[in-house]
Amino acid sequence: MFFTKKLFANWGYMNPARYLFAAMLLVTIPSALFADSSALQYESAAQKLTQILLEQKTNTVTIGEFIGTGSASRTATGTRLAFIDAFQRYNDSLRAEHDRFVSIIAATSKHIDGEIQIEDDPNDLGSLEHERFLVVRVTLTLYDGNNELYPLTFFMDRTRDVIETEGLSIAIRDDDARRAHKQIRLVRTDVANQSPLFTKIAATQIRNSAASPYAVELLTKSPLSDTYTARPPSEDAKSIPFVPIGIGEQYALRFHNLSDQEVAIAMKIDGVDQFQFSEDRDPSSGRPKFSHWIVPANSQFTIKGWHITAAQSDNNLASFVVTKYGDGAAQHIIRPADAVDGVITLSVSRSHVAGSGGAKSSAQTGFGPPIKQDQQPVQRNVDPPHEFFAIQYSR
């Protein structure tokens, strides 16, 4: 469990800057919907590796380096934190039942390293190569010093896992999964060739295409300013838009929903979910209680910080601030991981009022001064994401 008030104290921000945001809604996902394939895979891996350690009469372990191949390196930190979260929650449950559990510490001979890459689905190798499904392969290896003790591999096969791990900007045009994966392959080729995959609107707004009803823009402010200003992407940006943000600058992401339907947006920074550090937790799972921001039709919404609590207080967010590598928010959990950070990803899903039956199913960002967000928890049924954005803010 992560307690962000303690993190604030460590950073010394005890006198919060006060900003009043427009009222916005949070989406609460029913507990049953947490049982998605990726979460279950992390939990299964955490349980298996914990049992191996306990069988060896080991009660401490270090979560070591997680690396990604190619573009997956951008989200390796997020994969590492997802595993740490599952490992800690499982061992917290063991601690509550008896005295046999494993603690994560900064340095010990037993350590778990990870490797993440995108590859063809091993269960679909009979299909033509350009039509095969893609999966995220995660390999976790338990070591004792330099000696490999136990390798464990699992696959995440949701379309969103592939897109978010790769850090792609893409609008899924088809509900058919195989056609969607063919589209992802084409976009990956364009990324490799550094072909432009985004459209600028009004200098600062970024869209996946001119026809898209959604746009995003990054806003920044210096430590001496109270005003956020939209910053345009660099003219030398290739396949992924690049909006340079300097060390010490606070930033925010503004999302424009020009469609006639309410949408739910989920945001990750350096592969870390924006609700990762929230104190509001689901009592049955221990995971963050909230997962999305709700943006009504024909409106815009600005996200200015890591979510801390839905309570109406002056410090229910911790503002996004760019730090040097090693000082980002992700580093407050155990220790730094060697990963390529500096990328913001956003997914867009159609949302429906709960019960309506409408759903289908080298810099880092750290904690800035606490700020206020007016917010109201609500329940929504959320479709799988149909559009994704990736913006690079550091190289």
Side-chain angles (χ1 to χ4, degrees):
M1 194 68 69
F2 310 119
F3 297 95
T4 15
K5 288 181 180 176
K6 182 177 180 181
L7 298 181
F8 284 158
N10 290 341
W11 276 71
Y13 290 120
M14 301 308 292
N15 296 309
R18 300 184 180 185
Y19 303 96
L20 181 62
F21 292 18
M24 196 56 217
L25 302 177
L26 286 167
V27 58
T28 305
I29 301 298
S31 298
L33 295 184
F34 274 127
D36 61 58
S37 58
S38 59
L40 291 175
Q41 294 280 19
Y42 287 122
E43 291 173 1
S44 176
Q47 293 177 24
K48 180 64 175 177
L49 291 170
T50 294
Q51 294 305 319
I52 291 172
L53 288 164
L54 291 176
E55 288 169 5
Q56 297 183 350
K57 302 187 184 306
T58 300
N59 58 10
T60 59
V61 71
T62 295
I63 308 300
E65 181 181 45
F66 274 46
I67 60 174
T69 301
S71 297
S73 61
R74 299 190 183 110
T75 53
T77 297
T79 301
R80 180 175 180 270
L81 292 188
F83 174 70
I84 289 174
D85 191 29
F87 193 93
Q88 287 183 323
R89 282 188 289 103
Y90 178 63
N91 280 279
D92 283 346
S93 69
L94 294 182
R95 187 196 308 260
E97 296 174 3
H98 46 70
D99 60 356
R100 297 190 71 241
F101 58 90
V102 179
S103 298
I104 301 175
I105 64 175
T108 185
S109 63
K110 299 284 178 64
H111 59 99
I112 299 170
D113 291 352
E115 182 178 352
I116 307 99
Q117 70 179 57
I118 309 295
E119 62 179 36
D120 292 345
D121 187 340
N123 294 318
D124 195 34
L125 297 182
S127 301
L128 296 174
E129 184 174 357
H130 71 283
E131 294 184 343
R132 291 173 188 163
F133 286 114
L134 294 164
V135 294
V136 182
R137 179 169 66 85
V138 180
T139 300
L140 305 177
T141 306
L142 174 63
Y143 291 91
D144 187 354
N146 294 323
N147 298 319
E148 179 180 310
L149 298 182
Y150 189 86
L152 187 155
T153 297
F154 62 88
F155 299 91
M156 298 189 294
D157 57 4
R158 296 184 307 173
T159 300
R160 68 175 300 172
D161 292 325
V162 175
I163 293 172
E164 291 178 346
T165 300
E166 190 85 350
L168 300 177
S169 289
I170 184 173
I172 300 297
R173 297 188 298 268
D174 201 311
D175 287 339
D176 181 272
R178 190 171 294 278
R179 282 197 288 265
H181 279 243
K182 288 178 67 175
Q183 184 184 347
I184 293 169
R185 285 182 180 275
L186 292 174
V187 172
R188 295 179 81 211
T189 300
D190 289 339
V191 169
N193 295 332
Q194 295 191 332
S195 302
L197 298 176
F198 63 96
T199 301
K200 283 198 305 183
I201 304 293
T204 61
Q205 295 182 26
I206 299 166
R207 294 187 184 180
N208 283 325
S209 70
S212 174
Y214 314 116
V216 297
E217 55 186 337
L218 282 188
L219 297 79
T220 63
K221 81 180 191 70
S222 72
L224 303 178
S225 173
D226 288 335
T227 304
Y228 284 88
T229 303
R231 180 169 294 178
S234 172
E235 292 299 328
D236 68 347
K238 301 298 183 182
S239 55
I240 297 176
F242 173 50
V243 181
I245 306 176
I247 301 296
E249 284 189 298
Q250 290 178 221
Y251 70 86
L253 182 140
R254 179 177 292 157
F255 178 78
H256 299 261
N257 178 15
L258 303 181
S259 75
D260 58 2
Q261 183 171 355
E262 171 189 287
V263 296
I265 56 173
M267 180 178 177
K268 293 183 178 180
I269 307 99
D270 307 331
V272 182
D273 191 272
Q274 192 251 334
F275 292 92
Q276 174 71 45
F277 307 101
S278 179
E279 296 174 349
D280 298 327
R281 298 270 161 169
D282 181 272
S284 61
S285 68
R287 300 187 186 96
K289 186 176 182 181
F290 304 112
S291 60
H292 296 71
W293 295 98
I294 298 297
V295 184
N298 298 300
S299 68
Q300 64 182 37
F301 177 61
T302 302
I303 305 173
K304 295 186 178 181
W306 304 95
H307 187 266
I308 304 305
T309 177
Q312 295 301 316
S313 67
D314 287 339
N315 58 355
N316 54 18
L317 295 185
S319 55
F320 298 133
V321 62
V322 175
T323 69
K324 66 181 180 180
Y325 186 82
D327 289 342
Q331 314 315 87
H332 284 274
I333 302 179
I334 312 306
R335 74 177 187 88
D338 294 329
V340 179
D341 293 326
V343 173
I344 300 165
T345 56
L346 192 82
S347 64
V348 186
S349 304
R350 296 180 182 89
S351 72
H352 315 266
V353 175
S356 65
K360 298 178 182 178
S361 43
S362 313
Q364 295 181 320
T365 293
F367 297 112
I371 51 180
K372 182 178 180 180
Q373 170 73 70
D374 288 343
Q375 49 192 298
Q376 176 187 349
V378 297
Q379 280 204 342
R380 289 292 190 273
N381 294 328
V382 178
D383 286 351
H386 62 279
E387 188 152 350
F388 300 80
F389 293 87
I391 303 174
Q392 193 169 7
Y393 67 85
S394 176
R395 288 176 174 171

